[in-house]
Amino acid sequence: MSKVVFCGGGPMGEGILGGLIHNGGVAAKDITVNELSDVRIAYLTKTYGVTATKDANTALKQADLIIIAVNPAQVPSVTKNLKPILNKDTIVISIACGVALETLEGQLGSDKKILRVMPNTLIQSGNGYSAACINANITERDKALITKVLNALGQTMYVKENMFETFTAFCCTGPIWFYKTVEALIDAGVYGKARQERGCACRGAG
């Protein structure tokens, strides 16, 4: 069974973590979350049964997959900690928006197995769609493992990095606009009904 370590246990990481566990991608006992917040550590441990800790260096050294799930500005501090302990065979997945493969290779080493992944909002239900772009060190065997894990979140599409931002705009931002449209339609319906009821009440009073 693959050992997975999350660097970051915020909402982004939790969405993927929950999807992996609920849809059979990875067992909770095989997941470690490196997180600095005591509140998040307690929450993730209680909610998902994973190991959440401030010091995950031992787990990081033994990991099959490491998922960098922090904001772009925090990536350099994460990679600085990872570089001296990172196993050459470990696959590093970054979900940090806008951080290029070249940047990650510069921070972790050009010989490391690195990919960028952009999941969308339906991953916890298993109906998500993730884009992945890989560097030259990822083998077909690695790709099979990556696909197995990501397919627990839904479907996976491998794209060239120059298409990555387009995918993000269409498949990640797109659903948000759809949700906002539905929300606006609901609000309009509620507002219209309330106005109608007030009008009826006024006519009855007259």
Side-chain angles (χ1 to χ4, degrees):
M1 182 60 69
S2 299
K3 300 290 185 182
V4 180
V5 180
F6 284 80
C7 293
M12 295 189 307
E14 183 186 352
I16 297 175
L17 183 155
L20 291 179
I21 294 173
H22 294 153
N23 299 308
V26 182
K29 66 181 180 64
D30 294 315
I31 296 176
T32 300
V33 182
N34 198 171
E35 171 58 46
L36 298 180
S37 166
D38 290 328
V39 173
R40 291 296 293 178
I41 287 173
Y43 166 76
L44 293 169
T45 301
K46 181 179 179 180
T47 305
Y48 298 100
V50 300
T51 299
T53 177
K54 290 183 179 180
D55 183 3
N57 279 7
T58 299
L60 287 166
K61 293 175 184 177
Q62 301 170 353
D64 297 299
L65 290 170
I66 294 173
I67 300 176
I68 299 176
V70 297
N71 293 322
Q74 298 172 305
V75 170
S77 62
V78 171
T79 53
K80 182 179 180 180
N81 178 63
L82 276 180
K83 187 174 182 178
I85 62 174
L86 183 60
N87 189 313
K88 189 176 178 180
D89 294 323
T90 301
I91 300 167
V92 180
I93 298 175
S94 169
I95 63 169
C97 185
V99 181
L101 286 175
E102 183 180 7
T103 300
L104 294 167
E105 288 175 342
Q107 294 171 355
L108 293 171
S110 59
D111 60 331
K112 300 303 189 296
K113 299 179 178 185
I114 305 170
L115 67 151
R116 295 176 63 190
V117 172
M118 181 55 64
N120 70 5
T121 53
L122 301 175
I123 53 176
Q124 275 199 287
S125 67
N127 297 303
Y129 211 117
S130 300
C133 59
I134 60 178
N135 76 351
N137 301 318
I138 300 287
T139 65
E140 287 301 316
R141 184 176 179 180
D142 297 329
K143 196 172 176 181
L145 173 60
I146 294 163
T147 302
K148 179 182 177 182
V149 170
L150 293 181
N151 279 359
L153 308 175
Q155 299 182 64
T156 306
M157 174 187 292
Y158 288 88
V159 299
K160 297 292 185 181
E161 192 167 20
N162 61 2
M163 293 297 296
F164 205 72
E165 306 308 330
T166 301
F167 177 93
T168 301
F170 184 75
C171 292
C172 300
T173 308
I176 294 174
W177 283 107
F178 177 74
Y179 297 154
K180 287 295 184 182
T181 300
V182 172
E183 183 179 53
L185 290 171
I186 293 170
D187 289 345
V190 171
Y191 178 69
K193 184 174 177 58
R195 285 192 63 184
Q196 185 181 39
E197 289 175 349
R198 284 200 300 271
C200 291
C202 289
R203 287 194 294 272

